[in-house]
DNA sequence: GGGATTAGATCCGCTTGCGTATCTTAACCG
DNA sequence: CGGTTAAGATACGCAAGCGGATCTAATCCC
């Protein structure tokens, strides 16, 4: 716990501090080298420690991988601004800004891992966040209906989740963040017309 | 050329026959092992030949890779049935059926290759098919406009290409082919409303 | 049929990562 | 303060892939 960093001695790390340093290093390696570069040697080197330290904690490569992801992949925080359009734009911008490389990592770079283990992204997600989370956009839409901003008619999962899917698609195609124009275009020119007019509109 | 397969002798292959066998083997390895399993040894073994034979033809790994892809990635054939809806469904079904694993391969499994070489998928596509091809769905839409099936109004690339993007998105998420229901849903419930009514509708 | 070509097999040294073992010494705990 | 724990360094044998070199024999061409 004592975070005393003395003048000359770089302090041999222990416990939580060490584990954090290692998983941070591992995350960085995953982000910029992919699953290929994700070796015990590389992680140890980057964290400034050595292989046995890693093997002691995570005997299997998968253990280190999931521990690393668990620390860096948090469920999205769903905004509630009182306006469906603003909610949607905010959420998409958050995804775009914070999830750029992580999305690519999980859906693209880890393809080898998923193939080798016979698991899927959803398996991993379920292992990390077992709660059956409602998709964020479903929540936005139901709130908008409650506010009377949208008609209370059934909508397919496809339409409700469309902006999310399209932004994710663009991010995957560009292997990174998407221009803000695209986000606005998706919400205003694609999603909005499909959701239908407000209930008390002429 | 002489394709004589005698009774006992498996005939030592030469020239084009040999190259085809090798690139076929390489393609299969790419499809089910990804870029990681794509080693000269594995390809040689699968093709029933040996490394020097490969090195003689493709001194760099990239040469073998591009030769393999060039042989197996053909531009889409754009249907022309006289009905926009049928055109779209046909095209999407073709993509879904024929491009399943290949799409995953090119956009996901080759991520390491693209990162390592600093190139992108588009670079590769341009190298293989340098013609500036019109996106298939733009062609479908312009034909529909000519037939009077759609109003002649400007449409964004986003809307025109939406079905393609969504099917691609779903294929990437599922890492494989998409149910036919999804294709119909995308065309009828998402794309069609966005394209607007026929010009001579009430 | 005879000679040139080259497919296919085998072996080489090199590098990288694996997973483990050993040893020291810094940091913690009672 | 003395003893236990464990961080960090180093070395190990093993395996796989690399990029060649070498050699043979099958196939082609004249």
């Amino acid at each position: 716990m004592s975070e005393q960093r003395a003048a000359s001695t770089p302090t041999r790390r222990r416990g939580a501090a060490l584990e954090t340093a290692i998983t941070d290093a591992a995350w960085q390696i995953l982000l910029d080298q992919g699953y290929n570069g994700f070796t015990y040697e590389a992680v140890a080197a980057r964290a400034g420690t050595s292989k046995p330290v890693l093997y002691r904690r995570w005997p299997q490569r998968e253990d280190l991988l999931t521990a690393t992801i668990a620390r860096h992949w948090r469920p999205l925080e769903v905004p509630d601004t009182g306006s469906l359009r603003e909610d949607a734009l905010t959420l998409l911008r958050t995804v775009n800004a914070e999830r750029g490389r992580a999305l690519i990592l999980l859906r693209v770079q880890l393809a080898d891992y998923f193939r080798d283990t016979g698991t899927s992204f959803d398996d991993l997600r379920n292992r990390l966040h077992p709660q059956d989370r409602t998709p964020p956009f479903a929540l936005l839409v139901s709130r908008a209906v409650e506010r009377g901003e949208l008609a209370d008619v059934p909508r397919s999962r496809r339409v409700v989740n469309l902006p999310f899917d399209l932004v994710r698609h663009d991010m995957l195609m560009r292997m990174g963040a998407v221009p803000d124009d695209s986000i606005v275009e998706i919400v205003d020119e694609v999603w909005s017309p499909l959701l239908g007019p407000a209930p008390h509109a002429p």
Side-chain angles (χ1 to χ4, degrees), chain A residues 13-24 47-49 53 57-58:
Chain A
R13 296 156 301 181
R14 296 221 159 202
L18 180 58
E19 296 199 1
T20 300
I22 292 172
T23 48
D24 285 353
T49 179
V53 175
R57 277 148 225 271
W58 305 280

Side-chain angles (χ1 to χ4, degrees), chain A residues 27 31 66-76 95 98-107 121 124-125 128-129 133 164 168:
Chain A
W27 184 248
L31 289 185
T66 55
T68 300
I69 294 172
R71 274 189 214 235
H72 292 88
W73 182 261
R74 305 244 146 275
L76 281 173
V95 170
E98 297 180 3
R99 292 260 170 114
R101 322 217 42 178
L103 177 73
I104 307 300
L105 166 65
L106 289 171
R107 318 245 38 157
F121 175 79
L124 177 62
R125 202 179 56 74
L128 298 182
H129 305 295
R133 310 213 334 109
F164 210 105
R168 181 161 47 207

Side-chain angles (χ1 to χ4, degrees), chain A residues 124-166:
Chain A
L124 177 62
R125 202 179 56 74
N126 286 334
R127 206 158 357 120
L128 298 182
H129 305 295
Q131 329 88 326
D132 235 2
R133 310 213 334 109
T134 311
F137 271 83
L139 185 54
L140 296 192
V141 167
S142 69
R143 280 191 196 141
V145 169
E146 281 169 25
R147 286 194 302 265
E149 202 181 337
L150 280 183
D152 188 8
V153 299
R155 292 183 176 86
S156 64
R157 192 223 73 100
R158 172 124 256 146
V159 167
V160 169
N161 243 49
L162 195 67
F164 210 105
D165 290 350
L166 284 178

Side-chain angles (χ1 to χ4, degrees), chain A:
Chain A
M1 300 294 155
S2 59
E3 200 64 270
Q4 46 179 5
R5 315 205 102 256
S8 57
T9 328
T11 311
R12 182 180 283 188
R13 296 156 301 181
R14 296 221 159 202
L18 180 58
E19 296 199 1
T20 300
I22 292 172
T23 48
D24 285 353
W27 184 248
Q28 286 308 316
I29 289 199
L30 280 174
L31 289 185
D32 58 56
Q33 317 236 50
Y35 187 60
N36 266 354
F38 186 69
T39 70
Y40 274 59
E41 306 208 335
V43 172
R46 180 147 195 166
T49 179
S50 62
K51 285 195 296 171
V53 175
L54 307 201
Y55 274 106
R56 242 172 254 140
R57 277 148 225 271
W58 305 280
Q60 313 284 344
R61 188 149 113 139
E62 180 171 349
D63 301 332
L64 177 55
L65 180 69
T66 55
T68 300
I69 294 172
R71 274 189 214 235
H72 292 88
W73 182 261
R74 305 244 146 275
L76 281 173
E77 187 180 324
V78 181
D80 190 1
T81 65
S83 149
L84 178 58
R85 179 174 186 273
E86 285 310 310
D87 282 353
L89 289 175
T90 304
L91 182 54
L92 293 175
R93 283 174 178 143
T94 304
V95 170
N96 193 40
E98 297 180 3
R99 292 260 170 114
R101 322 217 42 178
L103 177 73
I104 307 300
L105 166 65
L106 289 171
R107 318 245 38 157
V108 175
Q109 311 274 30
L110 290 187
D112 288 332
Y113 164 73
F114 290 132
R115 196 181 15 69
D116 292 349
T117 60
T119 62
S120 72
F121 175 79
D122 288 331
D123 297 333
L124 177 62
R125 202 179 56 74
N126 286 334
R127 206 158 357 120
L128 298 182
H129 305 295
Q131 329 88 326
D132 235 2
R133 310 213 334 109
T134 311
F137 271 83
L139 185 54
L140 296 192
V141 167
S142 69
R143 280 191 196 141
V145 169
E146 281 169 25
R147 286 194 302 265
E149 202 181 337
L150 280 183
D152 188 8
V153 299
R155 292 183 176 86
S156 64
R157 192 223 73 100
R158 172 124 256 146
V159 167
V160 169
N161 243 49
L162 195 67
F164 210 105
D165 290 350
L166 284 178
V167 167
R168 181 161 47 207
H169 171 270
D170 282 18
M171 291 176 78
L172 289 173
M173 287 304 100
R174 304 172 112 261
M175 292 289 227
V178 158
D180 196 69
D181 292 350
S182 298
I183 292 177
V184 176
E185 178 185 38
I186 286 169
V187 170
D188 289 343
E189 292 175 35
V190 180
W191 200 40
S192 177
L194 287 171
L195 290 176
H200 33 49

